[in-house]
Amino acid sequence: MAELMNIGFGNLVHTAKMVAVIAPDSAPAKRLVQKAKQDGSAVDATQGRKTRSIIIMEQGIVVLSALGPDTLAGRFHGLAEGRKEE
């Protein structure tokens, strides 16, 4: 079954298609976002707020979130714990 995770402001991502969650502070992360925006493969889910994490998805899709990497990791692990209990 598809697991969807809230990444802020009602936006959801499919957890099985997530590759990584990174902080946007480094120069390589900034270049990754810039290239994704140029290629049209960036999805801005920040609702105009500051980007606090970058979610890299399969197929090279880059999702920008206003929630921090620690928050997203906690939500991801919460979903994983729910799967173990079933």
Side-chain angles (χ1 to χ4, degrees):
M1 179 168 185
E3 292 285 333
L4 298 175
M5 182 177 71
N6 187 336
I7 60 166
F9 308 108
N11 298 297
L12 305 168
V13 294
H14 191 283
T15 57
K17 298 199 181 274
M18 290 174 58
V19 175
V21 177
I22 61 173
D25 304 332
S26 68
K30 290 177 183 176
R31 284 193 300 269
L32 176 73
V33 170
Q34 187 64 31
K35 184 175 184 315
K37 285 181 178 180
Q38 290 173 352
D39 296 345
S41 61
V43 177
D44 188 352
T46 61
Q47 303 294 326
R49 290 168 177 81
K50 180 180 175 184
T51 300
R52 295 186 59 208
S53 63
I54 301 168
I55 304 166
I56 303 169
M57 307 290 287
E58 290 180 355
Q59 307 294 324
I61 303 296
V62 175
V63 181
L64 309 177
S65 174
L67 300 180
D70 293 336
T71 303
L72 295 177
R75 290 183 182 191
F76 182 81
H77 289 298
L79 288 172
E81 289 297 320
R83 276 185 246 138
K84 288 180 184 177
E85 292 175 3
E86 292 177 351

